[in-house]
């Protein structure tokens, strides 16, 4: 017997979560930029989160859990992720993949999208 999802997929909630993460990532990038060289890792981490959330938000699949999960899977399968302004391409790609895996788990469980706090663990 398959486990039933306890609550319905809410595309509007997912879009709101993605937008809140884009905003938080921008703030984190600005803060890291002000701290300089020592915060380059933090900058790349925030840039990766912004890239992932922006890519998923613009995909148009947020209203369908299966379509959204497939989009996450497609992004994970990419060879590389292009963006400008980052400090270390390998580190950025590692953070992109980590964010995509986190969102894949959230999507599968349909849980965590209600947490729109700026700082998340």
């Amino acid at each position: 017997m398959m486990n039933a999802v306890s609550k319905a997929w809410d595309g509007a909630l997912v879009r709101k979560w993605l937008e809140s993460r884009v905003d938080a990532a921008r703030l984190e990038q600005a803060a890291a930029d002000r701290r300089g060289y020592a915060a380059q890792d933090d900058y790349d981490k925030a840039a990766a989160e912004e890239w992932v959330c922006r890519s998923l938000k613009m995909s148009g699949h947020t209203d369908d859990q299966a379509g959204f999960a497939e989009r996450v899977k497609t992004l994970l399968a990419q060879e590389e992720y292009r963006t400008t302004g980052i400090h270390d391409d390998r580190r950025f790609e590692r953070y992109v993949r980590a964010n995509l895996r986190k969102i894949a788990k959230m999507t599968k469980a349909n849980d965590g999208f209600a947490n729109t706090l700026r700082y998340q663990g």
Side-chain angles (χ1 to χ4, degrees), residues 53-114:
C53 292
R54 185 177 307 289
S55 297
L56 290 171
K57 186 177 149 209
M58 293 176 15
S59 74
H61 292 93
T62 55
D63 287 327
D64 173 44
Q65 185 175 9
F68 189 74
E70 187 59 36
R71 180 65 182 142
V72 172
K73 187 177 176 180
T74 300
L75 287 173
L76 264 169
Q78 276 185 216
E79 291 287 322
E80 59 185 32
Y81 307 96
R82 298 252 179 225
T83 194
T84 58
I86 57 170
H87 301 284
D88 183 318
D89 290 336
R90 290 178 63 204
R91 181 172 54 204
F92 174 78
E93 289 183 9
R94 185 173 60 243
Y95 287 138
V96 166
R97 290 184 195 288
N99 273 287
L100 287 168
R101 285 190 299 271
K102 171 189 164 188
I103 294 172
K105 288 178 186 175
M106 290 171 60
T107 302
K108 184 175 182 181
N110 191 16
D111 188 38
F113 293 108

